[in-house]
């Protein structure tokens, strides 16, 4: 739309939305964040790792009851966390007394443009699909038929993507200033915006997949892992405990149960390192739910950037970080926010737990940028924080 639609939604409202991972399903979703003309949505009954964003005039969202009127049935989301037979009761419970988003809040999707008028070198604002809470300055890098190649200003090419010329992920220059969204500056600058305070907690795995939700409350734009010269996003950082030397923890790769059994048989002492072949590692990222893999309290990891043949991996203990809410929170952290933190992070794989702890510190800061500045590059391409 030439004039951006108004966003009347409030956090906590319920609506119907297409499951982005199973587009034939219409599910119940809850608004958990608002920025400009966009909504951050979480499907009821799914975990908090698959939040997604939609414009208020998206055809993917509709008022509660629309599906039933059309003769359809509301479906559980992909990865529904309960038994499928409990879905009807879950649906009744989740809608009972809930605040439904009024039909007037949903705007009509604008008509699609017919020709592709984009030319190489034109400027625009575009959603970073790997960090979809960010809108960034971009340039058209190439045009083929109805497709355009979006390149982000000031970053290397890892975040660029092809999309259709009528994609809802691209906007004209000036869109963010019209809607009140924060435009992420190009290159190294880190901006922490006031609107980010609206986001509610949502721990996420540190993966480079698109549509991942940011960890905990305020999203920190620098977490996109794009700082020139740094190999990893700060999410994959290790926090040194008092009196211990920091260790850099690279990206976790989960192992199959049989691999863990092999490890267990060799009766490794906790904290010992062992060389294994990369072929034993599977590429899936670690599950946040309890699984038999976790029983022996170790997770094997593979360092990024090392040649896969004969890579070394460490065996790492499961950890739990406890939060002392009554101590001196120091000059950088807001004591009231510290007291709202959970009593502990974990137990879980060390890099996941430490990432959550680091993010919590950033979220509790008076100036998130200052606390974020305590991250330093480690000698393995990871991060250290004190």
């Amino acid at each position: 739309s030439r004039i951006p639609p108004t966003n009347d939604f409030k956090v906590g409202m319920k609506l119907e939305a297409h499951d982005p991972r199973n587009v034939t399903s219409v599910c119940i979703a809850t608004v958990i964040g608002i920025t400009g003309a966009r909504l951050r949505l979480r499907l009821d009954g799914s975990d908090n790792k698959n939040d997604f964003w939609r414009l208020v005039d998206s055809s993917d969202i509709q008022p509660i009851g629309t599906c039933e009127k059309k003769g359809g049935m509301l479906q559980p989301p992909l990865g529904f966390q309960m038994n499928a037979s409990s879905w009807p009761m879950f649906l009744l419970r989740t809608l009972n007394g809930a605040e439904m988003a009024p039909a007037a809040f949903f705007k009509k999707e604008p008509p699609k443009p017919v020709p592709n008028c984009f030319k190489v070198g034109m400027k625009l604002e575009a959603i970073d699909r790997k960090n979809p809470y960010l809108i960034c300055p971009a340039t058209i890098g190439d045009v083929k038929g109805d497709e355009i190649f979006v390149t982000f200003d000031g970053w290397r090419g890892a975040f660029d993507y092809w999309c259709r010329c009528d994609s809802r992920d691209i906007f004209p220059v000036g869109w963010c200033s019209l809607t009140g969204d924060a435009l992420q500056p190009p290159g190294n600058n880190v901006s922490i915006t006031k609107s980010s305070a609206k986001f509610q907690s949502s721990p996420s795995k540190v993966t480079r997949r698109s549509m991942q939700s940011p960890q905990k409350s305020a999203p920190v734009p620098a977490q996109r892992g794009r700082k020139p010269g740094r190999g990893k996003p700060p999410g994959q950082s290790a926090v040194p405990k008092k009196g211990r030397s920091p260790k850099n923890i690279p990206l976790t790769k989960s192992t199959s149960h049989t691999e863990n059994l092999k490890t267990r048989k060799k009766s490794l002492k906790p904290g010992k390192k062992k060389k294994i072949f990369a072929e034993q590692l599977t590429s899936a990222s670690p599950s946040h739910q309890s699984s038999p893999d976790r029983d022996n309290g170790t997770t094997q990891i593979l360092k990024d950037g090392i040649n896969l043949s004969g890579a070394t991996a460490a065996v790492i203990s499961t950890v739990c970080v406890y939060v002392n809410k009554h101590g001196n929170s120091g000059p950088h952290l807001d004591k009231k926010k510290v007291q709202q933190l959970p009593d502990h992070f974990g137990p879980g794989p060390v890099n996941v737990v430490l990432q959550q702890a680091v993010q919590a510190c950033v979220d509790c800061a008076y100036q998130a940028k200052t606390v974020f500045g305590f991250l330093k590059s480690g000698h393995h391409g990871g991060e250290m924080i004190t």
Side-chain angles (χ1 to χ4, degrees):
S1 300
R2 290 178 186 279
I3 300 166
T6 54
N7 189 347
D8 304 310
F9 288 86
K10 292 184 177 64
V11 170
M13 284 183 169
K14 304 267 186 200
L15 48 85
E16 292 179 5
H18 287 268
D19 185 341
R21 299 189 297 163
N22 185 20
V23 288
T24 55
S25 292
V26 178
C27 311
I28 296 293
T30 303
V31 177
I32 62 158
I34 295 166
T35 168
R38 297 198 301 153
L39 306 172
R40 178 172 164 195
L41 302 171
R42 181 175 299 164
L43 298 180
D44 289 22
S46 79
D47 58 24
N48 53 11
K49 322 280 188 314
N50 294 291
D51 296 352
F52 58 102
W53 297 81
R54 292 291 178 267
L55 286 156
V56 293
D57 61 357
S58 168
S59 57
D60 280 350
I61 60 172
Q62 55 208 28
I64 301 281
T66 309
C67 186
E68 192 181 1
K69 280 179 197 162
K70 292 179 178 173
M73 284 181 69
L74 290 169
Q75 302 293 326
L78 196 68
F80 182 53
Q81 293 186 306
M82 298 160 73
N83 192 310
S85 60
S86 64
W87 170 246
M89 281 307 295
F90 176 86
L91 199 57
L92 279 173
R93 275 203 312 276
T94 198
L95 291 175
N96 184 26
E99 186 181 6
M100 317 283 189
F105 288 9
F106 297 83
K107 308 296 192 291
K108 195 172 186 301
E109 193 164 77
K112 296 195 174 194
V114 184
N116 182 358
C117 302
F118 288 103
K119 291 183 174 62
V120 173
M122 283 182 169
K123 295 286 181 187
L124 67 157
E125 294 174 8
I127 287 171
D128 172 2
R129 287 184 172 174
K130 296 192 178 182
N131 303 277
Y133 49 94
L134 296 173
I135 301 179
C136 314
T139 305
I140 305 293
D142 198 0
V143 178
K144 283 182 186 167
D146 288 339
E147 302 271 316
I148 59 169
F149 189 54
V150 176
T151 65
F152 288 99
D153 297 351
W155 298 113
R156 297 199 200 101
F159 298 82
D160 304 343
Y161 57 83
W162 284 93
C163 67
R164 284 183 53 84
C165 63
D166 57 6
S167 167
R168 307 305 311 279
D169 288 348
I170 56 173
F171 309 99
V173 171
W175 167 270
C176 285
S177 63
L178 287 173
T179 61
D181 273 292
L183 184 68
Q184 164 69 15
N188 273 335
N189 301 318
V190 177
S191 65
I192 308 296
T193 62
K194 285 179 185 169
S195 65
S196 63
K198 293 181 186 171
F199 301 137
Q200 296 186 335
S201 65
S202 152
S204 73
K205 288 178 252 185
V206 188
T207 59
R208 305 248 281 151
R209 250 178 311 165
S210 62
M211 299 310 289
Q212 286 291 343
S213 53
Q215 172 76 318
K216 291 256 167 217
S217 37
V220 183
Q223 266 195 306
R224 47 199 346 196
R226 290 189 183 175
K227 282 204 173 172
R230 290 208 181 168
K232 291 206 176 77
Q236 297 161 7
S237 57
V239 184
K241 305 271 175 41
K242 285 180 187 170
R244 295 194 198 168
S245 63
K247 287 183 182 140
N248 295 298
I249 310 302
L251 183 67
T252 303
K253 304 272 186 183
S254 67
T255 54
S256 66
H257 192 37
T258 51
E259 252 66 74
N260 274 315
L261 286 174
K262 285 179 198 168
T263 314
R264 205 179 300 173
K265 278 178 189 165
K266 295 192 177 165
S267 64
L268 281 173
K269 290 175 187 166
K272 267 215 173 165
K273 292 193 177 179
K274 161 180 167 50
K275 285 192 179 181
I276 61 160
F277 287 107
E279 286 74 19
Q280 289 180 315
L281 298 167
T282 60
S283 62
S285 43
S287 161
H288 280 242
Q289 296 166 351
S290 59
S291 65
D293 309 25
R294 210 52 44 84
D295 293 352
N296 62 346
T298 64
T299 305
Q300 294 175 331
I301 51 165
L302 176 67
K303 287 178 181 152
D304 262 41
I306 294 179
N307 197 330
L308 275 178
S309 55
T312 60
V315 177
I316 300 210
S317 301
T318 298
V319 298
C320 187
V321 173
Y322 291 88
V323 181
N324 175 13
K325 299 183 186 180
H326 306 293
N328 175 10
S329 53
H332 301 294
L333 303 187
D334 184 340
K335 189 155 191 172
K336 287 178 188 167
K337 289 183 182 175
V338 171
Q339 285 171 347
Q340 290 168 7
L341 290 176
D343 292 329
H344 57 84
F345 299 102
V350 65
N351 58 330
V352 174
V353 173
L354 295 182
Q355 178 213 340
Q356 290 172 358
V358 170
Q359 184 65 50
C361 291
V362 173
D363 293 341
C364 291
Y366 292 112
Q367 290 287 330
K369 190 173 178 180
T370 308
V371 171
F372 210 74
F374 295 136
L375 280 167
K376 296 181 178 63
S377 287
H379 58 285
H380 290 305
E383 311 275 348
M384 297 186 293
I385 190 168
T386 50

